Amino acid sequence: EPEVTQTPSHQVTQMGQEVILRCVPISNHLYFYWYRQILGQKVEFLVSFYNNEISEKSEIFDDQFSVERPDGSNFTLKIRSTKLEDSAMYFCANRSRTSGGVYNEQFFGPGTRLTVL
Amino acid sequence: QKEVEQNSGPLSVPEGAIASLNCTYSDRGSQSFFWYRQYSGKSPELIMSIYSNGDKEDGRFTAQLNKASQYVSLLIRDSQPSDSATYLCAVRSGAGSYQLTFGKGTKLSVIP
């Protein structure tokens, strides 16, 4: 069964540095999402992406964040000038669409644990 | 502000018993409802989705939805120690939005 994959599994960075988190979506799943989960807290929506455009974003997704699909397959989340409070698990999720309608179900990747020191 | 509320638990049930997990949501226009299972340090794993009022069964899992009461639940029959995890309720509000709003989750412990 195809799965969403994410790299790296763990990223340690210094405050103020830039990080890029990568996601390889399930083939033919055209809708992409990023969520984050701070330790002990809720999973929170960051951004959704379809057809090379952001379709929705949350208040968390400010100018510090950006997303792109640089090569038509990978899907990246860039965090510029990381802060201590950016430490969290970052999950990529995929949603499929079929000709019969739109599927709502989102499938999550294994996540990247980001630690900002 | 859309809210999804769950009892954080822990909920402890003996092996073989029925575990009942509950979730309420604030946005009356919500259209899609999901239960995810999350093991410690792992990502959410989708186990059930439900879109209309009533019950939906899949193996040992039954999801129940009552839109009038803004309430969704998950029953796990014949609970196994491997079911011990945190169960996350997630809601899609609809109206063109596909973002999910999650509850904090209920931690389930199945005692052998």
Side-chain angles (χ1 to χ4, degrees):
Chain A
E1 184 175 317
E3 294 181 342
V4 180
T5 59
Q6 291 185 243
T7 57
S9 58
H10 189 193
Q11 175 87 49
V12 181
T13 190
Q14 296 290 325
M15 189 170 58
Q17 297 297 304
E18 175 182 286
V19 295
I20 297 176
L21 311 181
R22 291 182 171 80
C23 170
V24 179
I26 300 169
S27 178
N28 298 324
H29 281 48
L30 303 179
Y31 298 82
F32 312 107
Y33 303 82
W34 284 101
Y35 292 83
R36 78 172 185 189
Q37 187 177 30
I38 296 170
L39 185 64
Q41 298 189 24
K42 297 182 182 185
V43 176
E44 300 174 291
F45 168 77
L46 293 177
V47 65
S48 61
F49 193 81
Y50 170 69
N51 201 23
N52 293 321
E53 289 185 352
I54 290 174
S55 46
E56 296 179 84
K57 60 181 181 178
S58 72
E59 293 176 351
I60 302 169
F61 193 87
D62 58 20
D63 292 343
Q64 181 194 11
F65 295 89
S66 62
V67 290
E68 62 178 14
R69 201 173 182 201
D71 57 9
S73 58
N74 291 336
F75 177 48
T76 64
L77 174 69
K78 182 188 291 186
I79 310 175
R80 288 181 282 274
S81 189
T82 49
K83 299 177 280 197
L84 295 176
E85 53 265 39
D86 294 327
S87 294
M89 285 289 289
Y90 288 82
F91 297 111
C92 170
N94 257 183
R95 179 170 66 89
S96 67
R97 179 179 185 184
T98 67
S99 59
V102 179
Y103 277 1
N104 289 288
E105 297 174 342
Q106 294 182 26
F107 300 94
F108 281 67
T112 293
R113 181 154 61 101
L114 176 65
T115 302
V116 182
L117 303 176
Chain B
Q1 183 79 355
K2 298 165 190 169
E3 298 286 344
V4 177
E5 299 292 339
Q6 297 181 255
N7 188 327
S8 61
L11 173 66
S12 294
V13 299
E15 184 175 354
I18 296 175
S20 178
L21 306 161
N22 304 315
C23 171
T24 59
Y25 58 94
S26 64
D27 183 0
R28 187 169 288 278
S30 298
Q31 297 185 0
S32 308
F33 308 86
F34 307 91
W35 284 99
Y36 286 84
R37 178 174 61 198
Q38 187 176 33
Y39 293 111
S40 181
K42 302 295 185 182
S43 64
E45 175 192 7
L46 180 67
I47 52 172
M48 289 287 287
S49 58
I50 187 166
Y51 307 116
S52 53
N53 282 329
D55 295 359
K56 179 182 177 183
E57 186 174 319
D58 184 1
R60 295 186 296 113
F61 299 98
T62 299
Q64 299 173 316
L65 174 61
N66 184 327
K67 289 186 178 181
S69 301
Q70 295 174 237
Y71 176 91
V72 58
S73 66
L74 178 71
L75 300 178
I76 307 174
R77 288 181 299 281
D78 188 23
S79 296
Q80 302 297 310
S82 58
D83 295 328
S84 298
T86 297
Y87 289 80
L88 309 179
C89 175
V91 176
R92 179 177 85 82
S93 64
S97 170
Y98 285 88
Q99 64 176 271
L100 298 180
T101 301
F102 282 82
K104 280 200 74 173
T106 297
K107 187 170 183 178
L108 173 66
S109 181
V110 180
I111 312 300

